Amino acid sequence: MSEAVAPASAVGKPRRTLTRAVIRFAGDSGDGMQVTGEQFTTEAAWAGNDIATLPNFPAEIRAPAGTLFGVSSFQLQFGSQRVYTPGDQLDALVAMNPAAFKVHLGDLKPGGILIVNTAAFEDRNLAKAGYQSNPLDDPGLAEKYRVHQVDITGLTRKALEDLPLKAQEKERCKNFFALGLVSWIYTRPLDPTLDAIKKRFAKNPHFVDANTRVLKAGHAFGETAEMFSEHYGIEPAEMAPGVYRSMTGNRALAWGVLAAAQRTQLPVVFGAYPITPASDILHELALHKRFRIRTFQAEDEIAAMGSIIGAAFGGAIGVTASSGPGIALKGEAIGLAVMAELPVVIIDVQRGGPSTGLPTKTEQADLMQAMYGRNSEAPAVVLAPASPGDCFFIAYEAIRIAVKYMVPVIVLSDGYLANGSEPWLIPDPTALPDIPVTFRTEPEEFFPYLRDAATLARPWVRPGTPGLEHRIGGIEKEDVTGNISYDPDNHDHMVRMRAEKVRRVGQEIPPTTINGPHGGEVLVVGWGGTYGAITAATEEAQMEGKAVASIHLRHLNPLPPDLGQILRQYRRVLVPEINSGQLVRMLRAEYLVDAVGFNRVRGMPLQTQEIYEAVGQLLEAKP
Amino acid sequence: MSTVTGPSKPAQSGPQYTKKDFESDQDVRWCPGCGDYAILSAVQKTMPDLGIPKENIVFISGIGCSSRFPYYMNTYGFHTIHGRAPAIATGLKLARPDLKVFVVTGDGDGLSIGGNHLLHVLRRNVDVTILLFNNRIYGLTKGQYSPTSEQGKVTKSTPMGSAERPVSPCSFALAVGASFVARTVDRNIAHMEEMLRRAARHKGTAFIEILQNCNVYNDLAWNVLYDRESKVQHELRLEHGKPLVFGPAADRRGLVLDGVKPRVVRVKDVPESALWVHDEHDRATGLVLGQLWAPEYPIPLGVMADDETVPVYEDTLLAQEQKVIANRGPGDIAALLRSGETWTIR
Ligand SMILES: Cc1ncc(C[n+]2csc(CCOP(=O)(O)OP(=O)(O)O)c2C)c(N)n1
Ligand code: SF4
Ligand SMILES: [Mg+2]
């Protein structure tokens, strides 16, 4: 644990205070941009800033060096005020090669800081990026941006001259030069990175030495080189007091499952088949056998789903995680869980589709699949986390609801939440709501589909309980007795019963939080990973005195009971989504409101600015 | 709370049941004359011999005529979806290694839509007993050819004869590493019961192919083993430690192994020491047995392989769990949340 220390002030150069900054490290897949970004994030977190991050990497494992599609980047926004998103336009861009320069320059603000590694701008790399001539020779560049041409490779090599490392090993340290330099520009403390270097290379003192030296060399370069005339400070943000950690969505989902495992004292069977961007949940859970979590890498997603249904039948908690293509495969088995009324949780970390689509990019286009993507009417509860840290609470809540109502619960995360991180106030696990579990043991008057009056849940019975031997299955059954039934009226009753069970989960949903006036011109309604961008855009409009509010749905099926009434308090309803309009359809169908969508399906998070503009257009539109 | 031990081994002092205790109150809905009746009766009859409390027994099935089975057993049961029973059983065993789990499947359920899951449950050696009812046809969907139907088979979906070569369920099971493989036939009650008992007692995945008659869509598909004459000619009863001999007394034949190639010989033409002696514990020669079929070869019935040395999947996995809990204690979410890099805001 560490205190949030004020960054050591550098000597000499003037320091200007900013409230926030958006920076992006971009380079080749092999340039270590993800590590650089994560490390800078830690430095900013130590300095007490609020942060949001956006890692962005190619689907190819080892994309050919220097190519446009091999570019990997890490963006973050950090600030002394609340930070909702990784930011739209960049205040600073580090481009480690011509391909990164070409792909990302367009996102840099006019007047923004541009740091380029000149050594990489040689003929071969220029050709691979499709440049006829060196773009750095363009005199217009310096007019538009504050360009810093730095021979990062050469300076790295020089700093390591006397070390007994191979040339290639030395060159691999160059990302830390960039990190050192940017840390100087934004006066973030080097200490956490120095610690991380020591830990990471504990087995190889030469690497510790090399990376430390290069990091410091980058820092010193900023301090001494004439091209940098000033640097920036960003005060600590006002954040709720407490102990914080950095949290990604995937890890938070996994830990939420562990929290529920500990609370219920039940074993959890986690069955999954690897798929980007969900695999890390499997990897994380496999590390925590101490929680009696039994991870099962199944032969496919159907088997994964089957395994958790079997586990739930046995009286354990069943959880699976996948992405859109895998959820499609699970569909038939999810229907079985609906029919058998067993508590299972299905996590969908959405990615760009259809088919293989954009495996490493984010999207919100599986909402309809979660709602309706099964044969016949097979309703499931659907939840969606709003931020990386919220994934923890959503996973826990999903298990709580599944067990209480004996229903499958689908959690819709997405690629942005999965890999993005935020400073997260560590919760007190004892303050989480209880998850009472009762297994039926009395044989008297037992029937498999007897129902609890409040929740309509059927009894959960562990095989091994004497006197309660019974058979269930996917065939329609008579309510209460559970006997096979082809009776038309019984089927109609059971279809309604399964829907009503899900509807009853509405009892669990707290009143919707309205961000802004409780009535007015425009209400922005969002769900999932767009929370940050929507909130930031709404607050921007509010600061200009506009009667704009936003709400964010964490419960998508059932929808919050107070939602219909809230929607009617505004002249217009705007629903921004990374799909072609799915929640907006649900809202129009359910509440007969003339909601309009704002839709961009680019594999990228929505931007604050574009939502702000869409709000503006609605405000201007004639009533 | 579940404990990490295998299902109860037959105990001397186990519960005293009769067949009746395993009959459920549901009306059996198979066609009159279907071979499934004999199998059901044999299973109900062998259950008391296992000495396992019936509340600890679970039958899991897929979809098909055969998969209706669990409804008729007075145990815990789960009639699931087409082909996926092995996956569901695997999850159940991970949650509840203490239960005795049976999987009931068909030739279509287990080898067509569920072929992948069958492969993996066998390869992993999950402790379940799998009964595959092989009637060489899709019964429930009214008579299409199945993965075990013979080439040229005329069915509703193959009016000019099937173009596909059949798979041998036992060869498949042996080839993917099954630790127990046996074959039996619905018209031989005593043999069926013996095989069921042995399979149920095996620790690890036990796979039995039960040749079953579908008198409606594929009557007498196994006539080679029903017809008295032909049965005498072709049935080979496997017995551990005994030479592989078959055929009528007047024309007794045997198998010898020529390298890995089996050859049929007249018993009187070779010294007894030349005959292939059946070794259940040798899965490699079991694999050769799985491939034999009439008319070139006899049809083996009985235990082709029984290898108790193969580690059981859930035992290995749960031993890992117990080891880390023993060494480091149970998980503590509060500690986990504060592990790694943290910082304090005042
Ligand atoms: C996903 C799916 N596809 C198809 C079916 C239709 N179906 C039901 S049983 C069956 C074949 C069953 O054949 P087999 O496993 O040999 O069982 P049998 O009826 O012969 O015992 C088929 C194709 C289904 N129930 N589910
Ligand atoms: S169709 Fe065939 S397998 Fe199915 S119940 Fe009838 S006889 Fe038996
Ligand atoms: Mg069949």
Side-chain angles (χ1 to χ4, degrees):
Chain A
M1 206 172 302
S2 62
E3 303 296 291
V5 287
S9 153
V11 281
K13 295 183 181 175
R15 175 173 143 172
R16 224 154 36 93
T17 301
L18 307 173
T19 53
R20 59 183 58 202
V22 179
I23 61 181
R24 187 185 290 170
F25 297 92
D28 208 53
S29 297
D31 285 343
M33 293 297 98
Q34 301 302 323
V35 176
T36 310
E38 282 164 20
Q39 221 33 70
F40 189 84
T41 303
T42 311
E43 293 179 3
W46 270 46
N49 299 130
D50 197 9
I51 306 164
T53 71
L54 175 64
N56 191 1
F57 37 84
E60 289 72 20
I61 306 299
R62 300 253 189 277
T67 57
L68 294 175
F69 64 88
V71 172
S72 167
S73 68
F74 190 104
Q75 178 177 328
L76 78 156
Q77 175 163 215
F78 57 109
S80 55
Q81 295 168 355
R82 182 74 206 268
V83 169
Y84 290 112
T85 73
D88 298 352
Q89 282 198 308
L90 308 174
D91 297 305
L93 170 66
V94 177
M96 297 298 281
N97 71 359
F101 176 88
K102 189 167 194 177
V103 172
H104 295 292
L105 187 64
D107 296 334
L108 184 61
K109 274 183 195 160
I113 300 173
L114 172 65
I115 299 169
V116 290
N117 177 17
T118 50
F121 283 67
E122 40 79 38
D123 292 350
R124 246 165 53 100
N125 280 337
L126 288 168
K128 277 193 208 158
Y131 283 117
Q132 313 289 341
S133 60
N134 192 339
L136 301 182
D137 296 341
D138 173 7
L141 200 64
E143 286 165 26
K144 205 166 167 200
Y145 309 108
R146 280 182 283 162
V147 185
H148 302 296
Q149 301 202 20
V150 186
D151 178 6
I152 294 177
T153 311
L155 290 165
T156 298
R157 228 180 266 139
K158 202 152 156 250
L160 302 178
E161 237 163 18
D162 55 324
L163 274 189
L165 292 174
K166 295 195 196 93
Q168 219 191 356
E169 288 170 335
K170 290 182 182 173
E171 200 184 316
R172 237 185 260 142
C173 299
K174 67 179 182 297
N175 58 326
F176 274 47
F177 189 96
L179 177 59
L181 177 53
V182 176
S183 303
W184 177 81
I185 294 177
Y186 288 101
T187 49
R188 298 305 86 181
L190 293 182
D191 316 56
T193 302
L194 292 169
D195 279 358
I197 291 172
K198 272 189 220 131
K199 274 192 208 133
R200 178 136 175 232
F201 301 110
K203 295 214 178 89
N204 194 328
H206 284 312
F207 286 176
V208 174
D209 192 12
N211 284 288
T212 304
R213 273 205 216 179
V214 171
L215 181 75
K216 287 185 173 166
H219 197 266
F221 184 79
E223 219 164 274
T224 52
E226 275 176 18
M227 62 172 94
F228 300 100
S229 54
E230 59 174 9
H231 63 156
Y232 310 101
I234 294 182
E235 295 302 309
E238 268 203 34
M239 293 166 75
V243 181
Y244 281 74
R245 64 174 305 124
S246 170
M247 201 56 160
T248 64
N250 271 349
R251 173 176 277 184
L253 284 170
W255 287 13
V257 170
L258 296 178
Q262 185 172 335
R263 178 59 72 94
T264 57
Q265 286 295 302
L266 291 179
V268 175
V269 173
F270 181 84
Y273 187 76
I275 185 169
T276 303
S279 305
D280 281 340
I281 303 172
L282 170 63
H283 305 160
E284 180 66 28
L285 287 173
L287 292 172
H288 298 289
K289 292 181 193 293
R290 294 165 69 194
F291 289 81
R292 294 210 302 157
I293 174 128
R294 294 162 194 172
T295 53
F296 171 54
Q297 183 177 314
E299 55 270 27
D300 60 24
E301 284 87 349
I302 304 173
M305 188 62 216
S307 70
I308 69 166
I309 291 174
F313 180 70
I317 291 168
V319 183
T320 187
S322 187
S323 188
I327 302 297
L329 287 175
K330 292 177 201 288
E332 189 202 10
I334 296 174
L336 175 66
V338 170
M339 203 67 167
E341 304 188 20
L342 286 169
V344 288
V345 171
I346 302 114
I347 296 169
D348 177 358
V349 187
Q350 300 165 96
R351 63 188 222 183
S355 186
T356 305
L358 307 168
T360 57
K361 312 288 180 210
T362 197
E363 202 164 281
Q364 294 185 301
D366 288 351
L367 176 56
M368 288 295 154
Q369 176 171 239
M371 290 294 297
Y372 304 114
R374 294 166 288 282
N375 60 301
S376 185
E377 297 193 352
V381 175
V382 182
L383 308 179
S387 69
D390 190 36
C391 288
F392 176 83
F393 300 104
I394 283 282
Y396 187 89
E397 178 72 355
I399 290 175
R400 190 181 73 82
I401 290 174
V403 168
K404 181 165 178 186
Y405 289 82
M406 295 290 281
V407 282
V409 178
I410 299 176
V411 171
L412 289 176
S413 179
D414 63 47
Y416 163 63
L417 293 175
N419 295 313
S421 64
E422 63 175 342
W424 188 55
L425 178 60
I426 297 174
D428 170 9
T430 61
L432 294 168
D434 200 16
I435 308 182
V437 177
T438 23
F439 291 110
R440 169 125 189 171
T441 51
E442 316 82 58
E444 294 75 35
E445 283 162 55
F446 164 73
F447 290 107
Y449 282 75
L450 263 182
R451 296 193 181 279
D452 179 272
T455 62
L456 300 178
R458 70 180 194 88
W460 200 6
V461 179
R462 294 172 85 245
T465 312
L468 294 187
E469 294 85 359
H470 67 280
R471 279 66 53 193
I472 58 168
I475 299 189
E476 186 61 285
K477 50 199 59 62
E478 188 178 66
D479 204 6
V480 184
T481 65
N483 290 332
I484 292 181
S485 167
Y486 295 102
D487 178 76
D489 290 335
N490 175 70
H491 179 55
D492 185 80
H493 167 76
M494 289 300 274
V495 167
R496 289 166 202 275
M497 177 61 76
R498 288 184 283 267
E500 179 57 24
K501 265 182 74 164
V502 170
R503 210 167 293 130
R504 292 263 173 118
V505 174
Q507 306 171 147
E508 307 292 326
I509 307 177
T512 302
T513 306
I514 301 172
N515 171 28
H518 290 217
E521 286 294 301
V522 175
L523 177 69
V524 190
V525 183
W527 67 280
T530 52
Y531 168 74
I534 289 174
T535 310
T538 305
E539 291 186 1
E540 222 175 295
Q542 286 166 353
M543 279 193 296
E544 288 159 11
K546 310 270 165 60
V548 176
S550 64
I551 57 176
H552 209 73
L553 306 182
R554 295 166 81 241
H555 290 260
L556 294 158
N557 198 30
L559 289 163
D562 59 1
L563 182 57
Q565 185 265 331
I566 293 172
L567 294 176
R568 280 185 276 278
Q569 308 306 314
Y570 300 84
R571 191 170 64 82
R572 301 306 308 266
V573 174
L574 178 71
V575 187
E577 295 178 84
I578 312 174
N579 59 42
S580 349
Q582 300 195 9
L583 177 64
V584 71
R585 247 167 210 270
M586 284 168 51
L587 297 182
R588 292 176 67 98
E590 188 75 23
Y591 303 107
L592 294 175
V593 291
D594 188 17
V596 294
F598 172 77
N599 308 94
R600 292 283 183 281
V601 202
R602 303 171 59 243
M604 297 293 289
L606 295 183
Q607 299 206 333
T608 305
Q609 186 61 22
E610 56 193 8
I611 297 173
Y612 169 78
E613 282 164 17
V615 170
Q617 279 168 16
L618 267 193
L619 284 168
E620 278 161 31
K622 294 261 172 317
Chain B
M1 197 147 302
S2 76
T3 51
V4 186
T5 52
S8 0
K9 283 274 168 189
Q12 244 57 25
S13 57
Q16 301 298 308
Y17 294 120
T18 64
K19 176 172 184 249
K20 271 218 118 20
D21 292 308
F22 290 94
E23 294 170 0
S24 81
D25 59 355
Q26 302 290 303
D27 297 332
V28 183
R29 300 189 187 204
W30 289 310
C31 307
C34 175
D36 290 353
Y37 284 96
I39 306 174
L40 175 62
S41 164
V43 171
Q44 287 167 338
K45 204 159 147 227
T46 47
M47 283 294 115
D49 302 343
L50 304 183
I52 299 173
K54 74 179 161 71
E55 65 270 16
N56 289 344
I57 299 174
V58 184
F59 277 81
I60 297 194
S61 64
I63 297 290
C65 296
S66 33
S67 290
R68 291 296 179 96
F69 201 92
Y71 291 114
Y72 312 136
M73 293 295 300
N74 190 17
T75 60
Y76 283 91
F78 198 177
H79 179 216
T80 69
I81 44 175
H82 203 15
R84 320 300 174 196
I88 289 154
T90 300
L92 176 58
K93 284 296 284 191
L94 279 176
R96 298 292 306 282
D98 55 312
L99 298 173
K100 173 71 207 169
V101 176
F102 290 84
V103 169
V104 179
T105 180
D107 42 323
D109 191 69
L111 290 163
S112 199
I113 192 166
N116 191 31
H117 309 305
L118 187 58
L119 182 167
H120 292 284
V121 74
L122 292 166
R123 172 180 76 80
R124 293 187 180 111
N125 202 35
V126 181
D127 186 27
V128 297
T129 306
I130 301 175
L131 317 181
L132 185 142
F133 296 13
N134 183 4
N135 55 13
R136 307 193 90 175
I137 199 84
Y138 287 0
L140 193 70
T141 46
K142 306 196 172 185
Q144 301 84 5
Y145 75 105
S146 90
T148 57
S149 300
E150 62 276 24
Q151 197 166 7
K153 175 90 181 164
V154 174
T155 71
K156 278 185 188 151
S157 57
T158 49
M160 295 178 71
S162 151
E164 298 177 21
R165 295 186 308 148
V167 62
S168 153
C170 289
S171 304
F172 171 81
L174 286 156
V176 301
S179 61
F180 180 100
V181 176
R183 179 190 286 140
T184 186
V185 52
D186 59 357
R187 298 234 174 140
N188 190 334
I189 307 288
H191 189 257
M192 201 162 38
E193 287 174 10
E194 189 198 328
M195 290 303 109
L196 286 166
R197 266 190 299 270
R198 287 218 33 202
R201 284 182 180 150
H202 174 76
K203 178 89 177 125
T205 314
F207 176 84
I208 322 185
E209 176 191 11
I210 306 177
L211 307 180
Q212 173 241 329
N213 195 38
C214 168
N215 54 306
V216 173
Y217 295 110
N218 202 15
D219 198 19
L220 301 180
W222 306 117
N223 206 31
V224 61
L225 293 172
Y226 294 166
D227 178 77
R228 276 177 148 253
E229 280 288 284
S230 123
K231 177 178 157 163
V232 170
Q233 289 294 337
H234 297 295
E235 184 180 294
L236 167 64
R237 283 301 190 85
L238 301 172
E239 280 183 78
H240 181 62
K242 301 267 173 67
L244 297 174
V245 291
F246 63 101
D251 182 22
R252 203 70 177 148
R253 276 157 293 155
L255 288 174
V256 296
L257 266 181
D258 218 354
V260 290
K261 173 123 183 100
R263 216 153 40 78
V264 176
V265 295
R266 274 173 215 293
V267 167
K268 62 174 170 21
D269 294 349
V270 294
E272 200 185 325
S273 61
L275 290 170
W276 173 2
V277 174
H278 182 43
D279 179 3
E280 287 174 356
H281 309 314
D282 180 8
R283 287 190 289 131
T285 50
L287 186 53
V288 179
L289 285 172
Q291 288 155 1
L292 305 184
W293 200 260
E296 302 107 282
Y297 293 106
I299 301 172
L301 290 185
V303 177
M304 295 182 198
D306 180 0
D307 184 351
E308 291 269 351
T309 65
V310 184
V312 171
Y313 174 70
E314 65 270 30
D315 286 0
T316 308
L317 217 73
L318 291 163
Q320 293 178 351
E321 176 179 301
Q322 293 199 322
K323 185 172 162 197
V324 34
I325 292 175
N327 290 344
R328 299 177 52 208
D332 174 3
I333 189 69
L336 180 63
L337 286 168
R338 283 164 184 260
S339 63
E341 199 84 58
T342 63
W343 64 96
T344 304
I345 305 267
R346 293 185 197 284

